[in-house]
Amino acid sequence: MMDLGKRSKICSVAAVLWLVSQTAFAEEWWKDSFATEGSSQCDNNDSIVTFTGKAVEMWEVRCTLDKIQKINRLDVVILDMTCTDGESTDKRRELLLKLEDSKVLRYPQHEVLQRCSELKAPPGPDPSVEPPR
């Protein structure tokens, strides 16, 4: 039979591993490619925004992340960044809030973004059906 000391150590290690896995998941939810909710696939879509741990890339604009602030107990991230469009540079601050269904609210733009991986291609014609002549 296992003594109380061993059982306590095993429970402690299990609890730490569980917390680390939960924290890692919570920190990574915003790192992905998104497009404006309701838009078409991400191929050739100029509303695409890609968030990584170091940068934010948009149509004709690239931002370097200066600071990332995570809000405890909330799925919220505040990004301080320096952005350039090739001609001018400015400082920006954005807040990302995780919504249900893997969507993200982007503030101050008041945009709801949807993961590119979840945007479906518009239904096309069934290739097994011949078009009328």
Side-chain angles (χ1 to χ4, degrees):
M1 190 161 168
M2 197 181 303
D3 69 343
L4 188 58
K6 269 188 176 176
R7 186 177 299 165
S8 175
K9 285 181 185 178
I10 290 172
C11 289
S12 296
V13 169
V16 168
L17 289 174
W18 181 80
L19 286 173
V20 167
S21 69
Q22 294 299 312
T23 303
F25 177 74
E27 292 175 359
E28 304 299 321
W29 60 265
W30 57 278
K31 293 179 184 177
D32 205 349
S33 291
F34 297 87
T36 304
E37 180 183 37
S39 64
S40 62
Q41 283 184 273
C42 284
D43 298 335
N44 299 318
N45 184 335
D46 64 1
S47 75
I48 298 170
V49 58
T50 301
F51 299 97
T52 67
K54 296 180 182 182
V56 177
E57 294 187 26
M58 299 166 275
W59 182 259
E60 298 183 351
V61 177
R62 186 178 197 316
C63 302
T64 303
L65 293 177
D66 302 321
K67 186 176 181 182
I68 301 168
Q69 300 174 59
K70 297 173 181 124
I71 308 299
N72 286 339
R73 300 179 191 208
L74 294 175
D75 286 327
V76 174
V77 176
I78 299 172
L79 305 175
D80 290 308
M81 53 194 146
T82 303
C83 300
T84 183
D85 62 5
E87 296 177 12
S88 63
T89 301
D90 64 324
K91 296 276 189 181
R92 297 183 189 181
R93 172 175 268 187
E94 290 188 6
L95 179 140
L96 303 177
L97 169 66
K98 182 179 179 184
L99 302 174
E100 53 192 48
D101 299 332
S102 298
K103 294 178 184 172
V104 173
L105 174 64
R106 186 178 180 201
Y107 183 83
Q109 294 86 343
H110 296 283
E111 279 183 317
V112 175
L113 302 174
Q114 189 170 355
R115 290 184 191 284
C116 285
S117 60
E118 295 184 5
L119 287 171
K120 305 291 185 226
D126 186 349
S128 64
V129 176
E130 281 190 40
R133 295 186 181 203

